[in-house]
């Protein structure tokens, strides 16, 4: 297929690379030194999202936040200015479910199908083509996109209509964020009580408290390895999406709100670009047990 891929960040670069390796024709925008290898491998650089969309059958977005997606789609020289009827737009960013429905409706007026397909799995999942992909949109669009998703992910599910993929991703980020906070509290408690957090984690791994987050992020907390797989500032953005949606739905998410406040504190302490497992540093600071 001819694919426009817009958003060559930490996640987007390897995702685009998998599509290119499968011999799809890629059109890419805003090439930097870290993404030059894609051009060297055959991707075609273009000057704007409009130009990329005009050349493509499928447009894939992998951008940081809702305003970024809005600008790329509908801003000056945006996708909407170049896209043709029959094109499929796939937004793999993590953004507002409410805005997603608006974006889909506006593009539908141009005869363009739209899927929201946010991902989970972080940089490691992107590099290993092992992402979890949660899809909202039409069955026809999903079937067209599935061979592309299979090049980037392993656990691929159509959740429902437009916006449902983003809703699933927000739910995912609530669970991940609150579980990271719980693991951090538990290991901090162990440390303050005089036990070895590494040995406590090892013991818990054999019981009902075992989880992938205790396994992977607990290890990061013990080894103090906070180079970002997924940055605290980005996870805070996702929890903000959850709370904005909850406010519109009149739903109370008290623990999500508390975890977001801890992430606000992490940013205030200068830890926004650390891995989200680094939230333990915020709790340690509050407990007077920091590095």
């Amino acid at each position: 297929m001819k694919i426009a891929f817009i958003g060559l960040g930490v996640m987007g670069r390897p995702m685009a690379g998998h599509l290119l390796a499968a011999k799809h024709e890629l059109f890419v925008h805003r090439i930097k030194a870290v993404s030059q290898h894609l051009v060297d491998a055959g991707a075609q650089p273009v000057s704007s999202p409009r130009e990329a969309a005009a050349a493509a059958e499928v447009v894939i977005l992998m951008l940081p936040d809702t305003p970024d997606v809005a600008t790329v789609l509908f801003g000056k020289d945006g996708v909407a200015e170049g896209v043709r009827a029959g094109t499929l737009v796939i937004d793999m960013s993590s953004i507002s479910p409410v805005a997603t429905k608006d974006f889909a409706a506006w593009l539908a007026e141009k005869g363009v199908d739209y899927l929201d397909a946010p991902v989970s799995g972080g940089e490691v999942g992107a590099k290993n083509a092992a992402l979890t992909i949660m899809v909202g949109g039409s069955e026809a669009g999903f079937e067209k996109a599935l061979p592309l998703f299979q090049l980037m992910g392993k656990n691929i599910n159509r959740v429902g209509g437009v916006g449902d993929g983003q809703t699933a991703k927000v739910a995912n980020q609530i669970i991940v964020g609150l579980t990271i906070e719980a693991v951090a509290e538990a290991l901090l408690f162990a440390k303050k009580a005089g036990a070895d957090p590494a040995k406590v984690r090892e013991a818990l791994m054999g019981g009902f408290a075992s989880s992938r987050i205790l396994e992977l992020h607990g290890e990061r907390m013990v080894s103090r390895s906070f180079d970002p797989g997924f940055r605290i500032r980005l996870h805070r953005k996702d929890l903000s999406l959850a709370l904005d949606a909850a406010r519109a739905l009149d739903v109370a998410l008290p623990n999500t709100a508390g975890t977001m406040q801890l992430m606000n504190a992490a940013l205030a302490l200068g830890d926004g670009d650390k891995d989200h497992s680094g939230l333990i540093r915020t709790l340690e600071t509050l407990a007077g047990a920091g590095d």
Side-chain angles (χ1 to χ4, degrees):
M1 294 184 183
K2 293 183 177 180
I3 302 170
F5 198 108
I6 302 171
L8 300 175
V10 170
M11 300 280 288
R13 288 193 299 274
M15 292 164 68
H18 296 313
L19 297 173
L20 195 59
K23 307 303 181 185
H24 291 289
E25 190 174 351
L26 240 61
F27 300 88
V28 292
H29 174 52
R30 292 187 67 186
I31 296 298
K32 299 179 181 178
V34 290
S35 48
Q36 180 61 40
H37 67 282
L38 295 170
V39 175
D40 296 340
Q44 299 181 44
V46 296
S47 61
S48 67
R50 176 193 58 76
E51 185 180 347
E57 305 164 68
V58 176
V59 177
I60 297 177
L61 310 180
M62 188 61 184
L63 298 164
D65 204 349
T66 306
D68 304 293
V69 174
T71 298
V72 166
L73 287 177
F74 304 109
K76 186 178 186 302
D77 288 327
V79 167
E81 293 184 6
V83 72
R84 297 164 293 171
T87 301
L88 176 63
V89 172
I90 307 171
D91 181 22
M92 304 189 77
S93 321
S94 295
I95 68 166
S96 163
V98 176
T100 289
K101 293 178 181 181
D102 290 337
F103 297 162
W106 297 337
L107 287 172
E109 294 176 359
K110 293 179 171 288
V112 173
D113 202 1
Y114 187 101
L115 299 178
D116 51 297
V119 303
S120 179
E123 182 181 4
V124 172
K127 287 182 175 179
N128 294 331
L131 293 168
T132 291
I133 305 176
M134 297 154 269
V135 187
S138 69
E139 289 188 23
F142 178 73
E143 291 301 321
K144 181 176 180 179
L146 184 57
L148 303 180
F149 292 149
Q150 289 170 334
L151 295 172
M152 298 180 280
K154 298 294 185 186
N155 183 25
I156 303 160
N157 291 281
R158 178 177 174 266
V159 181
V162 169
D164 288 350
Q166 295 294 354
T167 296
K169 176 58 186 291
V170 169
N172 179 86
Q173 294 303 80
I174 291 171
I175 293 170
V176 171
L178 270 61
T179 308
I180 286 174
E181 196 277 338
V183 169
E185 280 196 17
L187 295 183
L188 171 61
F189 169 76
K191 178 180 178 180
K192 290 290 284 187
D196 182 343
K199 292 183 178 179
V200 169
R201 172 187 164 275
E202 185 177 345
L204 296 179
M205 283 297 299
F208 199 53
S210 179
S211 69
R212 287 286 285 167
I213 288 173
L214 179 62
E215 177 188 357
L216 299 177
H217 287 53
E219 172 58 31
R220 283 176 172 265
M221 294 174 192
V222 168
S223 65
R224 316 303 288 177
S225 301
F226 300 128
D227 290 340
F230 189 70
R231 289 174 169 81
I232 291 174
R233 70 172 66 253
L234 292 177
H235 203 146
R236 182 185 70 158
K237 179 265 295 184
D238 291 343
L239 294 190
S240 177
L241 293 175
L243 294 172
D244 287 345
R247 187 179 303 110
L249 295 168
D250 293 327
V251 173
L253 300 179
N255 292 323
T256 301
T259 300
M260 181 172 166
Q261 289 299 328
L262 287 171
M263 291 183 177
N264 287 340
L267 266 71
L269 292 169
D271 283 352
D273 289 319
K274 287 184 167 55
D275 185 79
H276 48 178
S277 59
L279 193 63
I280 193 172
R281 287 167 48 91
T282 307
L283 291 167
E284 289 170 343
T285 299
L286 292 173
D291 293 339

